[in-house]
Amino acid sequence: MKTLGLIGGMSWESTAEYYRTLNELTRARLGGLHSARLVLHSVDFADIEQLQAAGRWEEAGAVLADAARSLEAAGAELLLICTNTMHKVADQVAAAVTVPLLHLADATADAVRAAGLRRIGLLGTAFTMEQDFYRGRLASGGLDVLVPDVESRALVHRVIYEELCVGVVREEARTAYRQVIQELVAAGAEGIVLGCTEIELLVGPGDSPVPVFPTARLHAEAAVSAALAED
C-alpha cells in the first residue's frame, strides 16, 4: 500500500473522521489487522481561518504547501487536503511537491457521475458555495451545480464554523440543513453534495429525499483505491 499524506486540522473534527475512515476502508479491503499507511500534518485551524477571512489565500496556500513538502519528506506517495474549502489553493500545494495530489472535487464528481446524476445541490462554506474554485471544478466534471439562496448560504456557513468545527452538533442545525436541502431539491437538485467535511457530522442519507454525496468519505474511498492500485 502506498503511503498517504494527509494535510489536516481544518478542522481536526473532520480530520479525525478521515483517519478513522481510511483505516476502516483499508481493513475492509485487506482484512485482518491491516490499517492504512499514512502520515499526517495537522495545522492550527485558527491561523488558517484568519487568513481565509482576510482573503489572504496565497499565504494560507504557503502554509499548506509547507505541510505538503513535510509529508513528502516523511515518505508520503499521495497527498490529500482534508478539507473542501482549502482546495482553493490546491494548485499551489500540488506545485510544491513531486507526488500527486488527489483532488477532493474530482473524487466527488466521479461518484456523482457513477450514480447517473448530473444536477446537484452544493452545501459548504460560503467560499465553497460562492467561489468558482470548487463549483467550477465540479462543472468541468460535467455537473450542473445549484447552491442555496443568500440567507441559506449564510446559515450553512455559520453552522460549520461556529458549531461543527468545534464539535457542536445540534438537532436545530440538522433541522435547518434539512430545510435547505428540501429547497435545493425543489429547485431541481437530483443529489446533494456535502461539500464541507464537517457537514457529514450533522446530516446523512436519512436527511435528504435524494442521494447525498459525503465528500470526506468519497475522498477517503478514492485514496484507498489509489493507494492499493498496482502501478
Side-chain angles (χ1 to χ4, degrees), residues 104-142:
L104 196 158
D106 293 344
T108 300
D110 288 345
V112 174
R113 288 195 306 271
L117 305 181
R118 189 182 68 86
R119 198 171 206 206
I120 53 97
L122 173 62
L123 300 179
T125 67
F127 310 112
T128 299
M129 292 186 288
E130 296 172 1
Q131 298 182 21
D132 190 58
F133 70 92
Y134 197 87
R135 292 171 57 178
R137 188 90 175 199
L138 293 176
S140 68

mmCIF file of all heavy atoms in Angstrom, residues 104-142:
data_model
loop_
_atom_site.group_PDB
_atom_site.id
_atom_site.type_symbol
_atom_site.label_atom_id
_atom_site.label_comp_id
_atom_site.label_asym_id
_atom_site.label_seq_id
_atom_site.Cartn_x
_atom_site.Cartn_y
_atom_site.Cartn_z
ATOM 1 N N LEU A 104 -10.187 16.538 -4.059
ATOM 2 C CA LEU A 104 -11.448 16.111 -3.467
ATOM 3 C C LEU A 104 -12.627 16.307 -4.419
ATOM 4 O O LEU A 104 -13.520 15.450 -4.506
ATOM 5 C CB LEU A 104 -11.662 16.888 -2.157
ATOM 6 C CG LEU A 104 -12.699 16.379 -1.156
ATOM 7 C CD1 LEU A 104 -12.388 16.921 0.221
ATOM 8 C CD2 LEU A 104 -14.093 16.762 -1.551
ATOM 9 N N ALA A 105 -12.672 17.414 -5.128
ATOM 10 C CA ALA A 105 -13.790 17.679 -6.038
ATOM 11 C C ALA A 105 -13.834 16.672 -7.183
ATOM 12 O O ALA A 105 -14.922 16.311 -7.660
ATOM 13 C CB ALA A 105 -13.705 19.100 -6.590
ATOM 14 N N ASP A 106 -12.675 16.200 -7.617
ATOM 15 C CA ASP A 106 -12.651 15.202 -8.690
ATOM 16 C C ASP A 106 -13.230 13.876 -8.205
ATOM 17 O O ASP A 106 -14.007 13.223 -8.927
ATOM 18 C CB ASP A 106 -11.217 14.995 -9.191
ATOM 19 C CG ASP A 106 -10.653 16.218 -9.886
ATOM 20 O OD1 ASP A 106 -11.444 17.117 -10.258
ATOM 21 O OD2 ASP A 106 -9.423 16.278 -10.053
ATOM 22 N N ALA A 107 -12.864 13.474 -6.990
ATOM 23 C CA ALA A 107 -13.410 12.243 -6.424
ATOM 24 C C ALA A 107 -14.921 12.351 -6.278
ATOM 25 O O ALA A 107 -15.661 11.385 -6.524
ATOM 26 C CB ALA A 107 -12.758 11.950 -5.077
ATOM 27 N N THR A 108 -15.390 13.528 -5.904
ATOM 28 C CA THR A 108 -16.826 13.746 -5.735
ATOM 29 C C THR A 108 -17.544 13.701 -7.072
ATOM 30 O O THR A 108 -18.578 13.043 -7.217
ATOM 31 C CB THR A 108 -17.070 15.095 -5.045
ATOM 32 O OG1 THR A 108 -16.426 15.094 -3.760
ATOM 33 C CG2 THR A 108 -18.557 15.356 -4.869
ATOM 34 N N ALA A 109 -17.019 14.397 -8.067
ATOM 35 C CA ALA A 109 -17.646 14.404 -9.388
ATOM 36 C C ALA A 109 -17.698 12.995 -9.971
ATOM 37 O O ALA A 109 -18.704 12.614 -10.592
ATOM 38 C CB ALA A 109 -16.895 15.349 -10.325
ATOM 39 N N ASP A 110 -16.658 12.212 -9.769
ATOM 40 C CA ASP A 110 -16.646 10.830 -10.249
ATOM 41 C C ASP A 110 -17.797 10.044 -9.633
ATOM 42 O O ASP A 110 -18.474 9.264 -10.323
ATOM 43 C CB ASP A 110 -15.322 10.152 -9.904
ATOM 44 C CG ASP A 110 -14.149 10.661 -10.737
ATOM 45 O OD1 ASP A 110 -14.395 11.325 -11.765
ATOM 46 O OD2 ASP A 110 -12.994 10.397 -10.343
ATOM 47 N N ALA A 111 -18.021 10.231 -8.334
ATOM 48 C CA ALA A 111 -19.079 9.491 -7.639
ATOM 49 C C ALA A 111 -20.464 9.920 -8.109
ATOM 50 O O ALA A 111 -21.360 9.088 -8.268
ATOM 51 C CB ALA A 111 -18.946 9.694 -6.126
ATOM 52 N N VAL A 112 -20.644 11.217 -8.337
ATOM 53 C CA VAL A 112 -21.948 11.710 -8.814
ATOM 54 C C VAL A 112 -22.246 11.138 -10.198
ATOM 55 O O VAL A 112 -23.353 10.653 -10.464
ATOM 56 C CB VAL A 112 -21.973 13.245 -8.831
ATOM 57 C CG1 VAL A 112 -23.277 13.755 -9.473
ATOM 58 C CG2 VAL A 112 -21.840 13.808 -7.413
ATOM 59 N N ARG A 113 -21.266 11.184 -11.077
ATOM 60 C CA ARG A 113 -21.474 10.642 -12.426
ATOM 61 C C ARG A 113 -21.731 9.137 -12.383
ATOM 62 O O ARG A 113 -22.570 8.615 -13.127
ATOM 63 C CB ARG A 113 -20.268 10.943 -13.310
ATOM 64 C CG ARG A 113 -20.130 12.411 -13.709
ATOM 65 C CD ARG A 113 -19.135 12.568 -14.867
ATOM 66 N NE ARG A 113 -17.860 11.946 -14.550
ATOM 67 C CZ ARG A 113 -16.857 12.567 -13.927
ATOM 68 N NH1 ARG A 113 -16.992 13.836 -13.574
ATOM 69 N NH2 ARG A 113 -15.719 11.935 -13.693
ATOM 70 N N ALA A 114 -21.026 8.439 -11.509
ATOM 71 C CA ALA A 114 -21.220 6.993 -11.394
ATOM 72 C C ALA A 114 -22.633 6.656 -10.933
ATOM 73 O O ALA A 114 -23.156 5.576 -11.256
ATOM 74 C CB ALA A 114 -20.197 6.402 -10.423
ATOM 75 N N ALA A 115 -23.256 7.570 -10.200
ATOM 76 C CA ALA A 115 -24.631 7.371 -9.749
ATOM 77 C C ALA A 115 -25.644 7.743 -10.828
ATOM 78 O O ALA A 115 -26.851 7.614 -10.615
ATOM 79 C CB ALA A 115 -24.887 8.200 -8.488
ATOM 80 N N GLY A 116 -25.154 8.219 -11.968
ATOM 81 C CA GLY A 116 -26.039 8.571 -13.068
ATOM 82 C C GLY A 116 -26.724 9.907 -12.915
ATOM 83 O O GLY A 116 -27.732 10.175 -13.578
ATOM 84 N N LEU A 117 -26.170 10.776 -12.058
ATOM 85 C CA LEU A 117 -26.778 12.083 -11.814
ATOM 86 C C LEU A 117 -25.931 13.183 -12.456
ATOM 87 O O LEU A 117 -24.742 13.008 -12.712
ATOM 88 C CB LEU A 117 -26.902 12.337 -10.311
ATOM 89 C CG LEU A 117 -27.646 11.265 -9.500
ATOM 90 C CD1 LEU A 117 -27.718 11.674 -8.045
ATOM 91 C CD2 LEU A 117 -29.037 11.014 -10.069
ATOM 92 N N ARG A 118 -26.578 14.333 -12.672
ATOM 93 C CA ARG A 118 -25.857 15.460 -13.261
ATOM 94 C C ARG A 118 -26.109 16.761 -12.497
ATOM 95 O O ARG A 118 -25.206 17.558 -12.312
ATOM 96 C CB ARG A 118 -26.262 15.639 -14.720
ATOM 97 C CG ARG A 118 -25.406 16.654 -15.475
ATOM 98 C CD ARG A 118 -25.867 16.838 -16.906
ATOM 99 N NE ARG A 118 -27.162 17.492 -16.985
ATOM 100 C CZ ARG A 118 -27.318 18.832 -16.973
ATOM 101 N NH1 ARG A 118 -26.266 19.620 -16.875
ATOM 102 N NH2 ARG A 118 -28.508 19.365 -17.051
ATOM 103 N N ARG A 119 -27.339 16.979 -12.050
ATOM 104 C CA ARG A 119 -27.686 18.256 -11.406
ATOM 105 C C ARG A 119 -27.653 18.070 -9.896
ATOM 106 O O ARG A 119 -28.454 17.329 -9.334
ATOM 107 C CB ARG A 119 -29.068 18.727 -11.860
ATOM 108 C CG ARG A 119 -29.292 20.196 -11.585
ATOM 109 C CD ARG A 119 -30.573 20.701 -12.227
ATOM 110 N NE ARG A 119 -30.493 22.129 -12.495
ATOM 111 C CZ ARG A 119 -31.542 22.933 -12.581
ATOM 112 N NH1 ARG A 119 -32.758 22.424 -12.461
ATOM 113 N NH2 ARG A 119 -31.375 24.208 -12.823
ATOM 114 N N ILE A 120 -26.738 18.746 -9.242
ATOM 115 C CA ILE A 120 -26.558 18.548 -7.807
ATOM 116 C C ILE A 120 -26.649 19.870 -7.043
ATOM 117 O O ILE A 120 -26.330 20.939 -7.566
ATOM 118 C CB ILE A 120 -25.213 17.855 -7.496
ATOM 119 C CG1 ILE A 120 -24.019 18.590 -8.145
ATOM 120 C CG2 ILE A 120 -25.233 16.415 -7.994
ATOM 121 C CD1 ILE A 120 -23.297 19.515 -7.248
ATOM 122 N N GLY A 121 -27.095 19.770 -5.803
ATOM 123 C CA GLY A 121 -27.063 20.897 -4.885
ATOM 124 C C GLY A 121 -25.793 20.832 -4.063
ATOM 125 O O GLY A 121 -25.366 19.747 -3.648
ATOM 126 N N LEU A 122 -25.170 21.970 -3.826
ATOM 127 C CA LEU A 122 -23.892 22.027 -3.118
ATOM 128 C C LEU A 122 -24.044 22.762 -1.799
ATOM 129 O O LEU A 122 -24.468 23.917 -1.767
ATOM 130 C CB LEU A 122 -22.847 22.729 -3.991
ATOM 131 C CG LEU A 122 -21.485 23.019 -3.345
ATOM 132 C CD1 LEU A 122 -20.780 21.725 -2.945
ATOM 133 C CD2 LEU A 122 -20.612 23.845 -4.293
ATOM 134 N N LEU A 123 -23.676 22.095 -0.710
ATOM 135 C CA LEU A 123 -23.594 22.716 0.608
ATOM 136 C C LEU A 123 -22.132 22.793 1.008
ATOM 137 O O LEU A 123 -21.360 21.868 0.740
ATOM 138 C CB LEU A 123 -24.358 21.893 1.646
ATOM 139 C CG LEU A 123 -25.852 21.674 1.416
ATOM 140 C CD1 LEU A 123 -26.435 20.820 2.548
ATOM 141 C CD2 LEU A 123 -26.589 22.992 1.299
ATOM 142 N N GLY A 124 -21.742 23.871 1.659
ATOM 143 C CA GLY A 124 -20.358 24.016 2.099
ATOM 144 C C GLY A 124 -20.164 25.359 2.756
ATOM 145 O O GLY A 124 -21.136 26.055 3.109
ATOM 146 N N THR A 125 -18.925 25.762 2.941
ATOM 147 C CA THR A 125 -18.662 27.111 3.433
ATOM 148 C C THR A 125 -19.071 28.116 2.356
ATOM 149 O O THR A 125 -19.269 27.759 1.190
ATOM 150 C CB THR A 125 -17.175 27.310 3.765
ATOM 151 O OG1 THR A 125 -16.419 27.247 2.543
ATOM 152 C CG2 THR A 125 -16.677 26.250 4.741
ATOM 153 N N ALA A 126 -19.204 29.363 2.754
ATOM 154 C CA ALA A 126 -19.544 30.395 1.772
ATOM 155 C C ALA A 126 -18.512 30.443 0.657
ATOM 156 O O ALA A 126 -18.860 30.630 -0.517
ATOM 157 C CB ALA A 126 -19.642 31.760 2.461
ATOM 158 N N PHE A 127 -17.244 30.226 0.999
ATOM 159 C CA PHE A 127 -16.188 30.231 -0.020
ATOM 160 C C PHE A 127 -16.450 29.136 -1.059
ATOM 161 O O PHE A 127 -16.346 29.361 -2.262
ATOM 162 C CB PHE A 127 -14.819 30.001 0.624
ATOM 163 C CG PHE A 127 -14.522 30.882 1.798
ATOM 164 C CD1 PHE A 127 -14.420 30.348 3.078
ATOM 165 C CD2 PHE A 127 -14.358 32.252 1.639
ATOM 166 C CE1 PHE A 127 -14.151 31.155 4.160
ATOM 167 C CE2 PHE A 127 -14.083 33.075 2.724
ATOM 168 C CZ PHE A 127 -13.986 32.527 3.989
ATOM 169 N N THR A 128 -16.781 27.963 -0.579
ATOM 170 C CA THR A 128 -17.001 26.821 -1.474
ATOM 171 C C THR A 128 -18.255 27.000 -2.317
ATOM 172 O O THR A 128 -18.271 26.672 -3.509
ATOM 173 C CB THR A 128 -17.092 25.526 -0.648
ATOM 174 O OG1 THR A 128 -15.849 25.341 0.049
ATOM 175 C CG2 THR A 128 -17.354 24.323 -1.521
ATOM 176 N N MET A 129 -19.324 27.509 -1.697
ATOM 177 C CA MET A 129 -20.585 27.663 -2.423
ATOM 178 C C MET A 129 -20.564 28.818 -3.408
ATOM 179 O O MET A 129 -21.234 28.763 -4.443
ATOM 180 C CB MET A 129 -21.740 27.853 -1.430
ATOM 181 C CG MET A 129 -22.062 26.624 -0.597
ATOM 182 S SD MET A 129 -23.538 26.827 0.447
ATOM 183 C CE MET A 129 -22.928 27.980 1.706
ATOM 184 N N GLU A 130 -19.812 29.873 -3.103
ATOM 185 C CA GLU A 130 -19.917 31.104 -3.886
ATOM 186 C C GLU A 130 -18.782 31.317 -4.875
ATOM 187 O O GLU A 130 -18.967 32.011 -5.877
ATOM 188 C CB GLU A 130 -19.992 32.301 -2.927
ATOM 189 C CG GLU A 130 -21.247 32.292 -2.065
ATOM 190 C CD GLU A 130 -21.246 33.358 -0.984
ATOM 191 O OE1 GLU A 130 -20.253 34.130 -0.920
ATOM 192 O OE2 GLU A 130 -22.208 33.409 -0.202
ATOM 193 N N GLN A 131 -17.616 30.731 -4.621
ATOM 194 C CA GLN A 131 -16.480 30.968 -5.499
ATOM 195 C C GLN A 131 -16.345 29.853 -6.539
ATOM 196 O O GLN A 131 -16.910 28.772 -6.384
ATOM 197 C CB GLN A 131 -15.201 31.121 -4.676
ATOM 198 C CG GLN A 131 -15.249 32.314 -3.724
ATOM 199 C CD GLN A 131 -13.973 32.497 -2.929
ATOM 200 O OE1 GLN A 131 -12.899 32.006 -3.305
ATOM 201 N NE2 GLN A 131 -14.059 33.208 -1.818
ATOM 202 N N ASP A 132 -15.560 30.120 -7.558
ATOM 203 C CA ASP A 132 -15.521 29.211 -8.701
ATOM 204 C C ASP A 132 -14.544 28.054 -8.543
ATOM 205 O O ASP A 132 -14.626 27.074 -9.279
ATOM 206 C CB ASP A 132 -15.174 30.005 -9.970
ATOM 207 C CG ASP A 132 -15.340 29.177 -11.235
ATOM 208 O OD1 ASP A 132 -16.466 28.680 -11.461
ATOM 209 O OD2 ASP A 132 -14.362 29.003 -11.971
ATOM 210 N N PHE A 133 -13.626 28.126 -7.571
ATOM 211 C CA PHE A 133 -12.573 27.114 -7.500
ATOM 212 C C PHE A 133 -13.141 25.714 -7.292
ATOM 213 O O PHE A 133 -12.556 24.738 -7.754
ATOM 214 C CB PHE A 133 -11.579 27.438 -6.373
ATOM 215 C CG PHE A 133 -12.139 27.258 -4.971
ATOM 216 C CD1 PHE A 133 -12.000 26.054 -4.298
ATOM 217 C CD2 PHE A 133 -12.797 28.298 -4.332
ATOM 218 C CE1 PHE A 133 -12.499 25.883 -3.012
ATOM 219 C CE2 PHE A 133 -13.310 28.140 -3.052
ATOM 220 C CZ PHE A 133 -13.161 26.936 -2.395
ATOM 221 N N TYR A 134 -14.282 25.613 -6.644
ATOM 222 C CA TYR A 134 -14.887 24.303 -6.378
ATOM 223 C C TYR A 134 -16.067 24.049 -7.305
ATOM 224 O O TYR A 134 -16.149 22.996 -7.944
ATOM 225 C CB TYR A 134 -15.339 24.239 -4.913
ATOM 226 C CG TYR A 134 -15.593 22.842 -4.415
ATOM 227 C CD1 TYR A 134 -14.563 22.068 -3.895
ATOM 228 C CD2 TYR A 134 -16.875 22.288 -4.452
ATOM 229 C CE1 TYR A 134 -14.788 20.777 -3.431
ATOM 230 C CE2 TYR A 134 -17.110 21.003 -3.991
ATOM 231 C CZ TYR A 134 -16.068 20.262 -3.479
ATOM 232 O OH TYR A 134 -16.308 18.978 -3.028
ATOM 233 N N ARG A 135 -16.963 25.025 -7.392
ATOM 234 C CA ARG A 135 -18.105 24.878 -8.300
ATOM 235 C C ARG A 135 -17.621 24.667 -9.731
ATOM 236 O O ARG A 135 -18.154 23.834 -10.466
ATOM 237 C CB ARG A 135 -18.997 26.119 -8.228
ATOM 238 C CG ARG A 135 -19.716 26.297 -6.917
ATOM 239 C CD ARG A 135 -20.412 27.638 -6.822
ATOM 240 N NE ARG A 135 -21.365 27.851 -7.911
ATOM 241 C CZ ARG A 135 -22.127 28.936 -8.012
ATOM 242 N NH1 ARG A 135 -22.038 29.904 -7.108
ATOM 243 N NH2 ARG A 135 -22.985 29.061 -9.002
ATOM 244 N N GLY A 136 -16.608 25.414 -10.124
ATOM 245 C CA GLY A 136 -16.076 25.288 -11.479
ATOM 246 C C GLY A 136 -15.442 23.935 -11.724
ATOM 247 O O GLY A 136 -15.538 23.375 -12.818
ATOM 248 N N ARG A 137 -14.793 23.392 -10.695
ATOM 249 C CA ARG A 137 -14.177 22.070 -10.835
ATOM 250 C C ARG A 137 -15.258 20.998 -11.028
ATOM 251 O O ARG A 137 -15.106 20.090 -11.847
ATOM 252 C CB ARG A 137 -13.352 21.762 -9.591
ATOM 253 C CG ARG A 137 -12.495 20.494 -9.701
ATOM 254 C CD ARG A 137 -11.134 20.816 -10.249
ATOM 255 N NE ARG A 137 -10.253 19.639 -10.261
ATOM 256 C CZ ARG A 137 -8.927 19.715 -10.352
ATOM 257 N NH1 ARG A 137 -8.321 20.887 -10.426
ATOM 258 N NH2 ARG A 137 -8.188 18.619 -10.380
ATOM 259 N N LEU A 138 -16.349 21.111 -10.276
ATOM 260 C CA LEU A 138 -17.458 20.175 -10.454
ATOM 261 C C LEU A 138 -18.093 20.343 -11.830
ATOM 262 O O LEU A 138 -18.419 19.354 -12.491
ATOM 263 C CB LEU A 138 -18.506 20.390 -9.363
ATOM 264 C CG LEU A 138 -18.098 20.046 -7.934
ATOM 265 C CD1 LEU A 138 -19.221 20.407 -6.967
ATOM 266 C CD2 LEU A 138 -17.753 18.566 -7.787
ATOM 267 N N ALA A 139 -18.252 21.601 -12.250
ATOM 268 C CA ALA A 139 -18.852 21.859 -13.559
ATOM 269 C C ALA A 139 -17.983 21.302 -14.675
ATOM 270 O O ALA A 139 -18.487 20.753 -15.663
ATOM 271 C CB ALA A 139 -19.078 23.356 -13.752
ATOM 272 N N SER A 140 -16.663 21.417 -14.516
ATOM 273 C CA SER A 140 -15.764 20.880 -15.540
ATOM 274 C C SER A 140 -15.825 19.357 -15.583
ATOM 275 O O SER A 140 -15.428 18.743 -16.579
ATOM 276 C CB SER A 140 -14.327 21.340 -15.290
ATOM 277 O OG SER A 140 -13.806 20.747 -14.105
ATOM 278 N N GLY A 141 -16.354 18.761 -14.506
ATOM 279 C CA GLY A 141 -16.562 17.331 -14.473
ATOM 280 C C GLY A 141 -17.925 16.923 -15.004
ATOM 281 O O GLY A 141 -18.339 15.772 -14.826
ATOM 282 N N GLY A 142 -18.618 17.868 -15.634
ATOM 283 C CA GLY A 142 -19.880 17.562 -16.288
ATOM 284 C C GLY A 142 -21.113 17.744 -15.426
ATOM 285 O O GLY A 142 -22.205 17.292 -15.800
#
